[in-house]
Structures are given as C-alpha cells and as structure tokens.
Amino acid sequence: EAALQSRFLAAYFKGLREEGVPTALDTCGQVKAETLENLWPLADIVLYDLKEIDPLRHEQFTGHRNDLIVANLVKLGETMRRGGGPKTLWIRTPIIPGATATRENIRGIGAFIARHLSGVVSRWDLCAFNNLCRDKYLRLGLSWDYHHHALLTEEFMMVMKEAAQKSGVDPAVVQTSGST
C-alpha cells in the first residue's frame, strides 16, 4: 500500500510540475528511503521535521528511534549536493516543553546540520509549542500530556535561537515561528 501511495504521489507531483505549480514535500522522514528518493526530484522544497537528535529520547517521545529519519536526511543532503532533489530544504524543530525544548537537543541538532547538511539547508525553523489543540482533545474526550503547558515566552524562544545559532550551523538560517 505504501508503494502504491508513493507512486500516486509521484504522479501527482509530476502533473503539478507539468502545470507549473510549485511543489512541497512535508515529511519527518520516517519512511523507506526509496519512497523519498522518488519524490525529492519532484519537489521544489522539502520541509523536514527533526524533533530530537538523541535516538533514545526520540523513541521516548515518539515511539520510534530516529535512525531512519537521520539517515534519510543525510541522504537528502548528499542528493542535493550532487544537484538532484529539491532546490530548497527547510529543517523544522518543534520546541515542546518537557521534550524537545532543551539547549542540549538544539545544540545537537545544530551540530548535526553543520556536519551533514552545511550549505544545503536554507532555513532551520524553531517552531514554538502550540497548545491550540487543547480544546479539540477535550471535545473528543481524549487526554493530552501537554494540556497544562502554556505557550512559550518570546524570551525562551530567543534562548533556543541563541543555542541554535551557536551550535555550529550558519546562524543566518536559524528562524523562530509560532505564537509566544
């Protein structure tokens, strides 16, 4: 089924490209490499989520280690250096209190980007925690581990941005987004 979905998406991207419509691939990279390799050349931009650099902490928060995510991202960087793949790569890191919102994680991700993706990442977006889904969880009668967390402060996001800019990555690519 995943192969069928991949072929459908590739055909869809090809059709969009033929019509002159820009394409974006939004992924966390937790798929087979060949799936992404078939789509990268058809995407103008890839938005790639990299949440937690430590594989054990990543597994603790998401249920999966990040080995495949990281390997696919390295492969994307190599593909872009050879002139294949998309023209633009943005890395997105959600800044989640009690999870990804640590200087250690941000410095680790920055060091990874500097080591493996230098020159191919045009933006590293630190995305502020968003609690707007809290009411949806309540209406659905579901619990949400982060229901008690408020929005992050602008000052805290600036601390995360400073950690990112001092991590070895090109400071000019580091941005923040989201409500504070």
Side-chain angles (χ1 to χ4, degrees):
E1 184 175 308
L4 179 62
Q5 290 172 344
S6 176
R7 285 194 303 275
F8 171 78
L9 191 53
Y12 184 67
F13 270 38
K14 285 177 187 174
L16 289 171
R17 182 158 277 186
E18 288 170 5
E19 295 297 320
V21 176
T23 55
L25 177 62
D26 185 346
T27 185
C28 75
Q30 184 70 29
V31 297
K32 291 180 181 179
E34 52 269 17
T35 299
L36 292 173
E37 290 169 351
N38 290 331
L39 295 173
W40 289 334
L42 303 171
D44 294 302
I45 183 173
V46 171
L47 310 171
Y48 203 106
D49 292 353
L50 188 55
K51 298 169 181 75
E52 170 65 54
I53 199 63
D54 180 87
L56 297 177
R57 284 181 51 88
H58 192 279
E59 184 174 29
Q60 175 187 349
F61 297 124
T62 69
H64 299 278
R65 289 177 57 98
N66 64 357
D67 302 321
L68 181 58
I69 294 165
V70 168
N72 282 334
L73 187 50
V74 168
K75 190 171 282 193
L76 174 56
E78 293 167 354
T79 301
M80 290 177 72
R81 280 196 183 86
R82 289 192 310 269
K87 298 174 193 132
T88 306
L89 172 60
W90 287 8
I91 304 295
R92 297 183 307 181
T93 301
I95 307 299
I96 302 170
T100 63
T102 67
R103 285 185 186 100
E104 178 182 73
N105 182 47
I106 298 306
R107 284 191 298 257
I109 292 173
F112 171 84
I113 293 170
R115 186 176 325 112
H116 299 285
L117 302 166
S118 183
V120 297
V121 172
S122 41
R123 180 177 176 134
W124 178 19
D125 197 9
L126 306 177
C127 308
F129 169 75
N130 183 333
N131 62 6
L132 294 176
C133 64
R134 183 179 5 207
D135 290 336
K136 188 181 290 187
Y137 276 88
L138 284 172
R139 286 192 307 271
L140 293 171
L142 299 172
S143 64
W144 184 46
D145 292 342
Y146 298 95
H147 72 276
H148 61 284
H149 287 285
L151 293 177
L152 299 172
T153 65
E154 188 173 336
E155 293 78 18
F156 183 80
M157 288 302 294
M158 290 303 104
V159 168
M160 293 290 100
K161 184 175 183 178
E162 182 179 339
Q165 290 175 323
K166 292 181 177 180
S167 67
V169 72
D170 175 2
V173 303
V174 180
Q175 305 291 319
T176 61
S177 66
S179 300
T180 54

